[in-house]
Structures are given as structure tokens and as C-alpha cells.
Amino acid sequence: MRRATFLKGLAATLTLGSCSSSKFLTYSGPEVTRIVVFKGERRMYLLNENRSLKAYDIDLGFAPDGHKQIEGDGKTPEGHYIIDRRNPNSEFYLSLGISYPNENDRAKAAALGQPPGGDIFIHGAARPFDKRGEDWTWGCISVSNREMEKIYSMVEIGTPISLYS
């Protein structure tokens, strides 16, 4: 009888404990003043001034070479942008929006007679243990959901992001 009561209590404690977990972490470290992405290395760095706070392996668009030019090309942009929005209810867990396309991107796409595309984000996966392989997005930057929780807590709207080949 004691064992059954103990096991029921343990199950209730574990159940209630799992309800309190949250994808919204609190960050109290140094400010992230810039994000740098090196597409060729598949690495993203969160920086405070010139000091690296965190580094992450990333996946990119399914056609990663070169700068994004038009909608649907599967490329991840290159250049200088800012984090311009946060989506806590993203289809891909959590996401931070990148300000692509800028005025120059729109002009280049217009010269090609095509829309530039948009909705470029840093995001997690659709499902917690999604293993899609390398470079599966439509131009976004993807990390694991656990990593995205940390990134989402550290990065504010207005943070500059530079993406290099």
C-alpha cells in the first residue's frame, strides 16, 4: 500500500513538474550586440561587441550558395540586416525575423522581374526531434529547438545581423 501511494505521488510530481517547463528562458548575461553568420562554415555567432558569447551549428536554405535574389530560390540572404520581429508561436517552434528584403534586395529582384521573397527567420524545428538533414529551409537559418530557446532569450529586436558567404 505504501509503495502504491509513493508511486502515485511520484507520478503526480513528475507530471506537475513537466507542466512548469517553458520554452521562454530568462537571460541575464551580457547584451548580444551583433549576430554574425558564416554560411560556408554553417556557423552563427552571438557577439557582445567583439567577444563571442555563443556559437551554433546551423542549417540554411536548400540552395545555400550565393545571395538570395528572388522568392523561392532556396537561398539564405547575404549582407547586413537587423532582427525586426519575434514570433513566439512560429510554425518552427520560436523564431526571430531578419529584415530581408531591404531596398537594394527589392530593386535587384524587380530588375529580374521577380518578387524578392521574404519571411526569413532564425528558427527551430517544426517538431522537437526533427532531423531533416543539412540545408533544408527555404532560406532561413535553423538551429535545434533547445538552442532556439537560448537564442530567443538572448536576442532583442534591433540587433544587427551580418550574413557572409
Side-chain angles (χ1 to χ4, degrees):
M1 177 114 170
R2 285 185 186 167
R3 184 177 180 152
T5 303
F6 171 77
L7 290 176
K8 286 179 187 177
L10 179 61
T13 301
L14 292 174
T15 301
L16 290 174
S18 67
C19 292
S20 67
S21 66
S22 172
K23 64 184 178 181
F24 302 108
L25 302 179
T26 302
Y27 176 70
S28 59
E31 175 187 10
V32 175
T33 58
R34 185 171 178 218
I35 301 169
V36 177
V37 174
F38 293 101
K39 291 172 42 176
E41 296 174 15
R42 303 300 188 276
R43 295 287 285 174
M44 178 173 69
Y45 299 87
L46 305 186
L47 304 176
N48 172 270
E49 303 307 329
N50 292 323
R51 190 182 80 175
S52 178
L53 299 173
K54 293 282 185 179
Y56 298 96
D57 291 328
I58 58 172
D59 291 322
L60 301 169
F62 62 83
D65 295 331
H67 175 58
K68 183 167 191 60
Q69 294 183 34
I70 61 171
E71 184 173 43
D73 65 6
K75 296 184 182 298
T76 301
E78 295 174 0
H80 306 287
Y81 302 92
I82 62 165
I83 299 300
D84 64 355
R85 61 204 180 277
R86 298 165 66 84
N87 185 352
N89 300 309
S90 171
E91 179 181 340
F92 296 97
Y93 192 60
L94 294 169
S95 63
L96 297 170
I98 298 172
S99 64
Y100 176 90
N102 61 29
E103 188 175 315
N104 191 41
D105 296 320
R106 285 189 288 278
K108 286 181 180 177
L112 296 170
Q114 298 288 323
D119 287 336
I120 302 297
F121 289 87
I122 301 169
H123 62 67
R127 292 178 300 278
F129 302 106
D130 235 354
K131 293 289 184 193
R132 295 179 183 252
E134 188 174 280
D135 299 335
W136 60 271
T137 77
W138 283 86
C140 295
I141 298 165
S142 177
V143 295
S144 74
N145 287 355
R146 184 160 285 166
E147 291 168 332
M148 193 62 218
E149 289 174 353
K150 293 174 187 170
I151 295 165
Y152 195 86
S153 74
M154 295 174 75
V155 176
E156 299 296 330
I157 291 174
T159 302
I161 179 169
S162 298
L163 301 101
Y164 301 101
S165 59

